[in-house]
């Protein structure tokens, strides 16, 4: 452990999760969010490292530069967070606790995901389809201008389900292993993947290292998320645990990501709906693997059901952490 005992880290990770439930990403923030700063750093390095179109650009050379981008971003994110935490601890131990809790909470986004999804749900419930299309366009990369209610629901459910790993379970796992510095390193890796980890002409080589490293970091948390989603489905109205487990076994491997298919297939199976299908990106049609069994039509209430499942996963984690704190384990 870098700065704290394991018991202290468990307690502070629990506090950070509760803080995210209560506050999330505050609208009154005066300083840029850490993820925004990481994004600016990535953009700066990309301009310097990504070979210009039409210039000398071999696969090996471009991949090597992408490795440099990944390594530099992870080192800076971890080092800067470690330095901030070290200074806070040096000033006062309780300041160190507060800083650690706050920065861990900034890597988690339970409340933020709920708010983003509800921003889509509310206009759907009010019959304002154009507004729902606009807001779902904020959280997905596909074209949303012609989506009907069922497709808007699918896009929102897929986004929330996938991000149960990226924005809930993974950052909490790495916070437990290495406090705020390791949680921030994970968030940097995830931001790299979201910015340059695409399999298109521009990024397929340059973003290769970022995408692969994000896959590695999410491998175990994704499988933990699958198990927690099955447990959550057993206690969530409108969801079923056995189909969730069967859906993971049947469909998760069909997803192009080794990790994202697990939460998406679990949610699809639990709710008795089908996820995946045809997406349009900048006029190009893309067929995504279909997950789950279409036992019924998708409906806007599936958004709220998925939000409840996301919260259920976070409650399982919080309960485990609370037991560790109460019984002073390990």
């Amino acid at each position: 452990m870098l700065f704290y005992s394991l018991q202290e880290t468990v307690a502070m990770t629990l506090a950070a999760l509760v803080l995210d439930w209560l506050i999330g990403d505050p609208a009154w923030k005066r300083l840029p969010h850490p993820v925004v700063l990481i994004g600016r750093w990535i953009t700066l390095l990309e301009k310097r490292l990504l070979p210009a179109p039409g210039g000398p650009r071999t696969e090996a050379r471009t991949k090597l530069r992408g490795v440099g981008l990944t390594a530099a971003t992870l080192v800076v994110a971890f080092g800067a967070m470690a330095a901030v935490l070290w200074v806070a601890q040096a000033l006062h131990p309780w300041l160190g606790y507060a800083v650690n809790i706050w920065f861990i909470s900034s890597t988690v986004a339970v409340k933020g995901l709920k708010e983003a999804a509800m921003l889509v749900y509310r206009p759907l419930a009010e019959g304002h389809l154009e507004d729902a299309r606009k807001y779902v366009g904020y959280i997905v990369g596909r074209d949303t201008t012609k989506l009907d209610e069922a497709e808007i629901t699918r896009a929102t459910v897929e986004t929330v389900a996938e991000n149960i790993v990226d924005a809930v379970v993974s950052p909490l796992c790495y916070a437990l292993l290495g406090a705020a510095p390791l949680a921030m390193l994970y968030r940097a890796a995830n931001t790299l993947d979201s910015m340059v980890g695409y399999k298109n002409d521009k990024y397929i080589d340059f973003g290769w290292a970022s995408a692969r490293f994000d896959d590695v970091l999410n491998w175990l948390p994704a499988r933990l998320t699958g198990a927690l989603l099955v447990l959550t489905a057993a206690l969530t109205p409108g969801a079923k645990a056995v189909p969730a487990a069967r859906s993971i076994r049947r469909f998760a491997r069909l997803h192009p990501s080794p990790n994202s298919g697990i939460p998406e297939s679990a949610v699809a199976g639990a709710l008795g709906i089908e996820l995946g299908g045809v997406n349009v990106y900048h006029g190009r049609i893309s067929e995504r693997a279909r997950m789950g069994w279409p036992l019924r039509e998708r409906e806007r209430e599936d958004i709220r059901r998925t939000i409840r499942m996301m919260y259920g996963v976070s409650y399982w984690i919080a309960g485990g952490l609370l037991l560790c704190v109460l019984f002073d384990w390990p």
Side-chain angles (χ1 to χ4, degrees):
M1 198 61 56
L2 290 171
F3 297 95
Y4 303 106
S5 69
L6 184 53
Q7 291 87 350
E8 288 176 316
T9 301
V10 168
M12 286 185 285
T13 301
L14 174 60
L17 177 55
V18 173
L19 186 63
D20 180 72
W21 287 342
L22 297 176
I23 297 177
D25 190 13
W28 47 261
K29 54 191 178 193
R30 295 178 179 273
L31 296 175
H33 192 280
V35 174
V36 174
L37 296 177
I38 292 169
R40 290 175 182 174
W41 170 262
I42 293 169
T43 300
L44 176 65
L45 285 189
E46 180 185 342
K47 290 178 180 178
R48 294 177 178 272
L49 294 175
L50 181 63
R57 186 173 179 172
T58 65
E59 177 182 340
R61 178 183 176 88
T62 305
K63 281 188 174 181
L64 185 60
R65 290 186 173 215
V67 170
L69 169 70
T70 302
T73 301
L74 298 179
V75 168
V76 167
F78 183 90
M81 189 68 261
V84 168
L85 194 52
W86 182 83
V87 170
Q89 281 185 304
L91 291 174
H92 197 282
W94 282 100
L95 179 60
Y97 294 146
V99 167
N100 189 53
I101 291 169
W102 176 258
F103 277 103
I104 291 175
S105 74
S106 75
T107 68
V108 182
V110 177
K111 187 176 182 182
L113 278 172
K114 173 191 174 183
E115 291 174 345
M118 290 302 294
L119 202 60
V120 179
Y121 172 84
R122 292 189 189 99
L124 279 181
E126 295 165 0
H128 300 152
L129 201 60
E130 285 300 320
D131 287 341
R133 288 169 177 159
K134 178 180 72 173
Y135 291 126
V136 78
Y138 293 167
I139 60 175
V140 298
R142 72 196 69 169
D143 296 339
T144 63
T145 54
K146 298 180 180 180
L147 299 184
D148 59 16
E149 180 172 322
E151 286 299 302
I152 292 171
T153 296
R154 174 169 76 89
T156 307
V157 168
E158 288 172 353
T159 298
V160 174
E162 178 180 356
N163 279 284
I164 295 173
V165 178
D166 296 352
V168 183
V169 179
S170 284
L172 291 172
C173 286
Y174 288 104
L176 288 170
L177 292 174
L182 200 58
M184 198 62 66
L185 181 145
Y186 168 77
R187 179 53 60 207
N190 191 245
T191 305
L192 278 163
D193 181 58
S194 68
M195 292 181 67
V196 303
Y198 298 103
K199 293 182 179 180
N200 55 28
D201 292 341
K202 182 177 182 180
Y203 291 121
I204 190 168
D205 295 324
F206 186 68
W208 172 82
S210 296
R212 296 293 78 75
F213 193 71
D214 182 71
D215 287 343
V216 170
L217 291 182
N218 279 322
W219 198 89
L220 282 175
R223 281 137 187 89
L224 173 60
T225 302
L228 293 176
L229 280 169
V230 172
L231 291 174
T232 300
L235 302 174
T236 302
K240 296 180 179 179
V242 173
R246 289 177 55 222
S247 185
I248 293 172
R249 291 196 300 270
R250 171 67 178 83
F251 298 107
R253 65 181 182 275
L254 303 179
H255 198 282
S257 164
N259 303 312
S260 298
I262 295 174
E264 287 188 30
S265 60
V267 169
L271 299 183
I273 59 175
E274 182 181 75
L275 299 177
V278 177
N279 297 336
V280 180
Y281 299 93
H282 307 293
R284 295 184 177 182
I285 296 176
S286 173
E287 177 73 27
R288 296 294 296 271
R290 296 176 186 268
M291 309 259 167
W293 299 275
L295 303 180
R296 60 175 177 81
E297 293 294 324
R298 291 184 295 268
E299 59 186 18
R300 60 177 176 265
E301 286 303 316
D302 290 323
I303 296 174
R304 297 181 67 181
R305 293 180 184 115
T306 306
I307 291 171
R308 285 195 288 270
M309 291 186 71
M310 173 186 65
Y311 268 87
V313 168
S314 72
Y315 294 155
W316 280 110
I317 295 174
L321 296 175
L322 181 60
L323 288 176
C324 290
V325 171
L326 292 177
F327 292 97
D328 196 22
W329 185 89

